Amino acid sequence: MSGLLTGLKAHLWQRISAIYLLLYFPLAAWYLNQHSFATLQAFKQAVLAGEFWMITLLALLLILVHAWVGMRDILIDYLPRKIVLVGLSVLGLGLMLVLLNLLYLTLSLIQN
Amino acid sequence: MRFSIYRYNPETDEQPYYQDYELDDALIGNEMMLLGALEKLREQDPGLTFRSSCGEGVCGSDGMNVNGENKLSCITKVSELTQPVVIRPMPGLPVIRDLVIDMTLFYEHYHTVEPYLKPTPAGVSIDLDHELLQSPEDRAKLDGSYECILCGCCSTSCPSFWWNPDKFHGPAALLAARRFVVDSRDITTRERLESLDDPYKTFRCRNIQNCTASCPKGLKPSQAIQQLKSLMLEKQVD
Ligand code: SF4
């Protein structure tokens, strides 16, 4: 398991992502509040405008990092030792799928 | 005064059980410690087994779980306990008999953090003609860790230690690790921190704080663990 964001690195990334998300959410709420979302097109425009989409994409990636570290800790704490690896693999796969989905969503938003 | 005490003799009992005892209030003074009461109960029942030694909160051998909290019986006043006083062995480690637990794992973790000064490179012996001087400020950094008496009250009250007793060092060993990491005379700070950078050894600590709450010497192992994490960060970054 070592190398997969464990120990000190995990500790650090959990804090970095937490701080980023703490700043991101109020900012996003404030920014989105300036726009109306009457149509899907209007929503896309608001999300893709300026640098906001980059900031948002980074936030989504950091949510994944945060989820990996937090969930991994919970699984290691609570799962019986024999099935910890299975649990971690399922978690890793699940987060990978979310990541792929996210990339797909981003690409299709940009292309349209 | 009523007591309910965990009993288990692996040679004769299939299951542990609680045995009720009664101690005449006239025998209990205001200042009597729980260890004194246990000794009186042992006069009634010579089979009752527990560890004790100095009787003054220095040796750390009489840790036990009293009314749900880990305490040293020799510095716990009987008059301050609610009845019936429920006494169990400290949780999380195997019971040898009655209130006596097998602390091998606990000591192994202590051993693993190399709780001794390493002031010279490996293979170089220390110059015995010169003292290893330390400034008063550097000496003060050791306060709050060197006083540990290894009673085990902290580690055995820690859920993270219950879950991974063979892999998580536990508060007592990490407090000892911190003591040598911050010692200005030790030259292996980085190696020590590197060996502690592991998802199990240190990072199972979830800041539950049971350790700090249960330490009979008033030490703060939880704070020491947080400090170790910060030091790891500093050493990685610099
Ligand atoms: S830190 Fe406190 S509770 Fe833990 S072993 Fe040392 S003296 Fe006992």
Side-chain angles (χ1 to χ4, degrees):
Chain A
M1 273 183 309
S2 63
L4 265 182
L5 214 51
T6 60
L8 178 67
K9 272 195 221 111
H11 180 69
L12 189 61
W13 274 102
Q14 200 174 28
R15 266 138 196 84
I16 292 174
S17 55
I19 293 170
Y20 186 90
L21 294 173
L22 200 69
L23 297 173
Y24 170 78
F25 282 116
L27 182 88
W30 171 80
Y31 172 81
L32 292 175
N33 200 29
Q34 319 276 315
H35 298 77
S36 81
F37 303 119
T39 60
L40 181 64
Q41 203 53 37
F43 174 73
K44 273 190 202 167
Q45 263 172 10
V47 174
L48 289 175
E51 270 81 52
F52 184 71
W53 72 273
M54 269 198 275
I55 297 173
T56 303
L57 188 63
L58 191 56
L60 292 171
L61 291 175
L62 286 176
I63 288 179
L64 288 183
V65 170
H66 201 79
W68 163 251
V69 177
M71 295 290 292
R72 180 182 135 273
D73 274 342
I74 294 172
L75 294 183
I76 294 179
D77 280 349
Y78 290 103
L79 281 185
R81 182 79 54 82
K82 273 184 277 174
I83 58 167
V84 166
L85 258 183
V86 179
L88 289 179
S89 310
V90 171
L91 172 67
L93 268 178
L95 291 178
M96 281 292 200
L97 282 179
V98 176
L99 183 66
L100 285 177
N101 203 1
L102 207 66
L103 289 177
Y104 172 74
L105 200 74
T106 315
L107 283 177
S108 48
L109 262 180
I110 294 172
Q111 275 170 1
N112 295 322
Chain B
M1 186 155 200
R2 287 173 297 123
F3 294 84
S4 177
I5 302 181
Y6 178 103
R7 301 299 310 271
Y8 180 56
N9 179 350
E11 285 171 12
T12 53
D13 303 326
E14 265 179 32
Q15 291 285 331
Y17 61 95
Y18 282 88
Q19 187 166 344
D20 292 334
Y21 291 91
E22 190 94 36
L23 198 59
D24 190 347
D25 285 345
L27 291 173
I28 303 172
N30 245 356
E31 296 300 308
M32 184 188 237
M33 297 296 169
L34 182 60
L35 179 61
L38 282 171
E39 280 162 353
K40 295 239 175 291
L41 291 175
R42 193 165 50 189
E43 286 168 17
Q44 290 177 21
D45 177 358
L48 181 60
T49 310
F50 51 89
R51 284 195 184 107
S52 72
S53 185
C54 73
E56 298 191 348
V58 176
C59 71
S61 45
D62 61 343
M64 53 189 71
N65 188 278
V66 184
N67 287 346
E69 285 173 36
N70 286 354
K71 292 178 183 298
L72 292 184
S73 69
C74 60
I75 52 171
T76 302
K77 277 190 186 166
V78 182
S79 55
E80 287 169 5
L81 298 171
T82 49
Q83 294 191 50
V85 183
V86 180
I87 308 178
R88 298 183 302 142
M90 292 196 291
L93 289 174
V95 174
I96 295 176
R97 182 174 165 160
D98 296 348
L99 303 178
V100 176
I101 53 172
D102 180 354
M103 294 183 71
T104 309
L105 262 178
F106 174 81
Y107 294 129
E108 270 172 12
H109 284 296
Y110 182 64
H111 185 249
T112 311
V113 302
E114 304 188 314
Y116 40 84
L117 208 56
K118 294 204 262 179
T120 53
V124 178
S125 60
I126 191 167
D127 172 9
L128 294 175
D129 289 334
H130 293 95
E131 285 178 80
L132 272 174
L133 295 176
Q134 189 170 44
S135 71
E137 294 76 37
D138 283 336
R139 163 62 191 79
K141 290 183 190 155
L142 310 183
D143 288 344
S145 357
Y146 79 90
E147 302 93 330
C148 173
I149 55 173
L150 290 178
C151 62
C153 286
C154 54
S155 296
T156 57
S157 67
C158 170
S160 292
F161 190 72
W162 299 338
W163 294 325
N164 291 292
D166 55 336
K167 291 189 163 199
F168 174 47
H169 278 336
L174 290 171
L175 185 79
R178 179 230 172 245
R179 184 241 172 279
F180 290 94
V181 162
V182 301
D183 195 314
S184 59
R185 298 163 298 176
D186 194 284
I187 62 163
T188 58
T189 310
R190 186 174 282 273
E191 288 86 333
R192 286 182 187 275
L193 288 173
E194 275 168 9
S195 85
L196 291 170
D197 181 6
D198 174 279
Y200 279 97
K201 290 178 190 169
T202 309
F203 287 90
R204 278 312 80 215
C205 170
R206 317 236 54 81
N207 241 324
I208 298 167
Q209 308 263 356
N210 277 7
C211 53
T212 298
S214 67
C215 176
K217 304 303 277 185
L219 308 179
K220 298 187 175 85
S222 156
Q223 220 176 53
I225 300 172
Q226 291 316 308
Q227 197 190 354
L228 279 177
K229 290 179 186 171
S230 310
L231 285 169
M232 280 182 200
L233 214 55
E234 273 173 35
K235 296 286 165 193
Q236 290 266 317
V237 172
D238 74 16

